[in-house]
Amino acid sequence: RNKMPSMENMLQAWPKEIEDELRNGTLELPSADIDLNVEEYARMLCSLLGIPVYDGCMVDSAHALITLFVESQVSNNVYA
């Protein structure tokens, strides 16, 4: 079974421009109105954010996506 990278590694993997946009709240991701089901939308977001999606492990990827979001929000509060 493949292992997810650590949150620290995923947070460090983004270019400075992406981090700045996350911090400023200006990063525009595709809206949930896009014609995808929930799993397809989560896979797309994971792909855009560099979160691996392994066969049969979508829950792990979704968990990483949510954790990454929370971590970025906590970081935003630290920088504010």
Side-chain angles (χ1 to χ4, degrees):
R1 181 174 174 161
N2 294 317
K3 200 172 175 188
M4 283 290 166
S6 71
M7 282 298 121
E8 184 175 307
N9 285 344
M10 283 193 273
L11 284 168
Q12 290 178 358
W14 291 336
K16 182 178 179 343
E17 296 81 16
I18 299 292
E19 287 183 21
D20 290 344
E21 288 185 25
L22 275 171
R23 189 174 297 119
N24 297 330
T26 57
L27 181 65
E28 291 189 36
L29 295 172
S31 142
D33 293 333
I34 195 167
D35 189 25
L36 298 173
N37 66 37
V38 172
E39 182 177 350
E40 293 166 337
Y41 185 69
R43 283 179 179 276
M44 179 194 59
L45 289 179
C46 287
S47 177
L48 290 171
L49 296 172
I51 299 169
V53 179
Y54 303 115
D55 288 338
C57 298
M58 189 61 226
V59 170
D60 294 340
S61 298
H63 179 264
L65 176 65
I66 293 166
T67 303
L68 197 56
F69 173 76
V70 169
E71 289 292 327
S72 71
Q73 295 303 301
V74 169
S75 294
N76 285 346
N77 289 333
V78 169
Y79 291 114

